[in-house]
Structure formats: structure tokens, C-alpha cells
């Protein structure tokens, strides 16, 4: 273990890594139900997509473990699967095979970009203040995900966004808050695996409230269905429609992944002396390989999951945590009924609490310099309110260029940052006129 993952060098243990890996899995296990549910709207079989989701997540996460040695888990991404079903298939009238082909080509392009260091160069070009802001923004973003998943935060209050009353009419929200209290107390008492224990305790608390439901004739095992294999449609691969779909997949996946990697690296301090992500090229390659594998198995784009930060908060610092998460995805193929018992109210406290942990980076942002502070603020603000990591990076970079030019500090802007800002502005214009 020491030779493979350098545990002592990173100040961790086998136990911490396993707990971190389990915590990450529990925080993102919802994707095993959500992804097939969304893709089935395109006409795909739910059970086949479930199998593809679990296997592609396991492959990508294990590649991340052994190539990059980072505690980052991957799976088919939310947002990207919605674009797959609701925009490409239902909106544009394309087949799901057409969409899978675009995902496959996207993965191949990303492999090339990763091998030749293009994606790594993009990460290195992002200013240090924005990297810290991305970490903080992601913390708020996943906090809101937790609040929404638990039913604590809703628009049903009559306001743009608000908290529900904590009573039995909102049992899920009540259970999540109780679970958050348990997690906070355990963390303050320095109990090892506080976040993971919090998830387990909250699941139990949910039973008398009817939030955690155990079905009649419950059976812990289930035989996985066969996934789709190589269901591609090449007849329209040279069309303008295919190009538009491909570019959308490319940009959304690229900046969601970059944001997640920067956030995890910042939180776990997995950076080199220059402030760059350790083994970044390997991490990006894992994302690319996962996307190709997922497309071949029959699922949408595989990407790094922001919920990995919950595992980092539980102590994970190496790829051993990713090995644990990857193995759990394979086990989930046969134990889906057990994992299905854990309600969103039980994983919500973990996501909310990680928001606190990721806020720590905000203290090192130079808000006294408006050319650094304003772009950082815009990045932090945009991610939770736009419900998008990639949009946070996009508006952060655009505002960074504007602020530096206005402050007569244009020389501080890296060349690649200029290029990215120009591309983002072009994308905004394209969206406005199409």
C-alpha cells in the first residue's frame, strides 16, 4: 500500500483512506438511481443503464486511483445526462445512439488533449485566486445540492429560495437537520469517520420518520442486467448537429472536471510547490478513459464528482480511497437494494458540512485587490446560484480579464487565460443568437 499510494508521505493511513472512500461512495451513490432514471427518458432501458453507470464509474475511479493517486471518484455526470436526454434526444429529435456516439468521440478527443497536456495547461493558466475561489464556490454549490436533496431548501416557501418549516410535514428536512447536528458534534469531538458515521446514524434516524423505507420482502441481492455495448450511430457523425452536440459535451465536461479537481486539490492540499494539482495529467486521463468506457457500455459522459470532497473531509488523501469507492461501485451491481435504502436526507448532511470545510480557502484570497477579489467573488457567487461549476469558472475568467485590463494590469493575464475568456465570450454570443 505504501509503495502504491505513498500514505506516509501524505500523512494518512489505510483506515482513513477506506473511510474516506466509503464516504465518497455514499455521498454520490444516488447517481446509480438518478442517471438511469434520466437516460431512460431517452428510450434507454433503466436496468441496462444502471449496470453501465456502476461499471463505468468503477473503471474511471480505479484508473484515477492507479494513474493519478488522487482521492477523486468519477461517474456519469448530472447535467450532462440531462443534456443527453432532454436537449439532444427529446429536444433535437436525435436517437440515443446518436448521443452516445457524440459522447464516445468527446472521450477520444479528451484522451488526446490529456496525453498532449492541453487540458493540464488550461488548469495551470487559471490564476491562483480563482483556483481558491473555485474551491469555495464548489463548497457552496454542493451545500445547496445537499439542502435541495433533503428538501430543506425550496422555492415552495413563496420566496425565490427559502427554508421549509422543520416539522413532520417536511420529515426529510427534519431528519437531515438532525443528521447534520450529529455530524457536527462528532466532528468537533474528533471522532474518526465523523461524516460516514453521520450518514449511517441519519439513515437509522430516518426509519421512524418514514424517510428511510425498508420494502416488504426485502432482498439484499439483485442480479445486474446486461449493459448496452457499442450502440453507436455513425451515419450523422459529419453533420452540423453532431458538431454542436459534441462541442457542448466537450466544454461542459472539461470545466466541470477542472473545477472539481481544483476544489479537491485545494481542500486536501494535493498541490506541488508551484500550486498546481499533483498528477494532474493522470487525473484528466482517467476522466477521458471513463467517458470512452461509459459510451461503449451505454451511458452519458463520465466526469469527476464534486462529492469526492466529502471523502477528503473524512480523511482521504490518496488513490486508495478511490480504490475503495471503485470497488463499492462494483459491489453495488449486486447489492443495489441495500444502497437504495440510504435516503438523500442521510447524505445531505455530509454535503452541507463539506461546504463549511471548503470555505477555509476564502481567507487566502486577496480581496483587498479588486482585480483579484472581484473575479473571485463572481466565481464563488455564480457556482451555487447558477447551479453550475463550469459557469462559475466561465464568468470568473471573463471578469478576471475585464478587471485586470481595467486596473491596467493586463500583463498579469496568462496567454491561455486570454484565449479561454475569448472562447467563453464567443460561446455566450453563440447562445444568444442561436
Amino acid at each position: 500500500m505504501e509503495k502504491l499510494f505513498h500514505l506516509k508521505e501524505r500523512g494518512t493511513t489505510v483506515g482513513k483512506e477506506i473511510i474516506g472512500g466509503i464516504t465518497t461512495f455514499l455521498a454520490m451513490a444516488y447517481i446509480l438511481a438518478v442517471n438511469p432514471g434520466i437516460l431512460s427518458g431517452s428510450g434507454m432501458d433503466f436496468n441496462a443503464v444502471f449496470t453501465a453507470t456502476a461499471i463505468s464509474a468503477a473503471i474511471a475511479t480505479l484508473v484515477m486511483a492507479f494513474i493519478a493517486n488522487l482521492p477523486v471518484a468519477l461517474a456519469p455526470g448530472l447535467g450532462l445526462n440531462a443534456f443527453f436526454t432532454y436537449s439532444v434526444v427529446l429536444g433535437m429529435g436525435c436517437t440515443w445512439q446518436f448521443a452516445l456516439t457524440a459522447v464516445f468521440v468527446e472521450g477520444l478527443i479528451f484522451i488526446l488533449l490529456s496525453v498532449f497536456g492541453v487540458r493540464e495547461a488550461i488548469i495551470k493558466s487559471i490564476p491562483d485566486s480563482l483556483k481558491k475561489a473555485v474551491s469555495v464556490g464548489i463548497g457552496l454549490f454542493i451545500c445547496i445540492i445537499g439542502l435541495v436533496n433533503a428538501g430543506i431548501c425550496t422555492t415552495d416557501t413563496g420566496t425565490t429560495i427559502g427554508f421549509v418549516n422543520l416539522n413532520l410535514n417536511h420529515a426529510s428536512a427534519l431528519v437531515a437537520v438532525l443528521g447534520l447536528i450529529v455530524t457536527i458534534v462528532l466532528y468537533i469531538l474528533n471522532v474518526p469517520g465523523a461524516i460516514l458515521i453521520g450518514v449511517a446514524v441519519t439513515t437509522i434516524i430516518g426509519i421512524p420518520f418514514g424517510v428511510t423505507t425498508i420494502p416488504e420482502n426485502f432482498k439484499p441481492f439483485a442480479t445486474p442486467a446486461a449493459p448496452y455495448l457499442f450502440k453507436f450511430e455513425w451515419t450523422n457523425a459529419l453533420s452540423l448537429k453532431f458538431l454542436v452536440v459534441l462541442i457542448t459535451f466537450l466544454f461542459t465536461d472539461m470545466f466541470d472536471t477542472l473545477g472539481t479537481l481544483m476544489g479537491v486539490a485545494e481542500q486536501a492540499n494535493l498541490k506541488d510547490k508551484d500550486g498546481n494539482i499533483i498528477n494532474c495529467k493522470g487525473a484528466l486521463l482517467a476522466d477521458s478513459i471513463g467517458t470512452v468506457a461509459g459510451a461503449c457500455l451505454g451511458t452519458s459522459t463520465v466526469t469527476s464528482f464534486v462529492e469526492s470532497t466529502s471523502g477528503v473531509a473524512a480523511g482521504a488523501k490518496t488513490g486508495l480511497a478511490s480504490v475503495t469507492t471503485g470497488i463499492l461501485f462494483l459491489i453495488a451491481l449486486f447489492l443495489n437494494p441495500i444502497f437504495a435504502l440510504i435516503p438523500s436526507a442521510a447524505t445531505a448532511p455530509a454535503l452541507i458540512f463539506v461546504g463549511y470545510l471548503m470555505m477555509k480557502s476564502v481567507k487566502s484570497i486577496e480581496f483587498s485587490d479588486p482585480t483579484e477579489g472581484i473575479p473571485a467573488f463572481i466565481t464563488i457567487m455564480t457556482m451555487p446560484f447558477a447551479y453550475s461549476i463550469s459557469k462559475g469558472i466561465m464568468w470568473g475568467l471573463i471578469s478576471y480579464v475585464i478587471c485586470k485590463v481595467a486596473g491596467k494590469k493586463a500583463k498579469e493575464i496568462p496567454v491561455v487565460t486570454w484565449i479561454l475568456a475569448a472562447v467563453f465570450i464567443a460561446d455566450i454570443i453563440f447562445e444568444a443568437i442561436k
Side-chain angles (χ1 to χ4, degrees), residues 15-41:
K16 287 181 180 178
E17 294 301 301
I18 291 175
I19 287 175
I22 295 172
T23 302
T24 294
F25 174 78
L26 292 177
M28 61 185 287
Y30 66 86
I31 198 63
L32 289 168
V34 174
N35 189 55
I38 291 175
L39 294 191
S40 62

Side-chain angles (χ1 to χ4, degrees), residues 3 5 18 147 152 154 192 276 349 357 382 394 414:
K3 288 182 180 179
F5 301 112
I18 291 175
L147 291 169
I152 298 173
T154 176
N276 297 314
L357 295 173
T382 305
M394 177 181 76

Side-chain angles (χ1 to χ4, degrees), residues 276-290:
N276 297 314
I277 301 168
I278 296 173
N279 301 330
C280 181
K281 181 180 288 188
L284 295 170
L285 190 59
D287 169 86
S288 309
I289 292 171

Side-chain angles (χ1 to χ4, degrees), residues 321-356:
S322 296
V323 171
T324 304
T325 305
I327 290 172
L328 286 173
F329 270 113
L330 292 177
I331 294 174
L333 280 169
F334 304 92
L335 298 177
N336 180 46
I338 291 178
F339 293 114
L341 292 178
I342 302 172
S344 58
T347 56
L351 299 180
I352 296 166
F353 188 71
V354 168
Y356 151 71

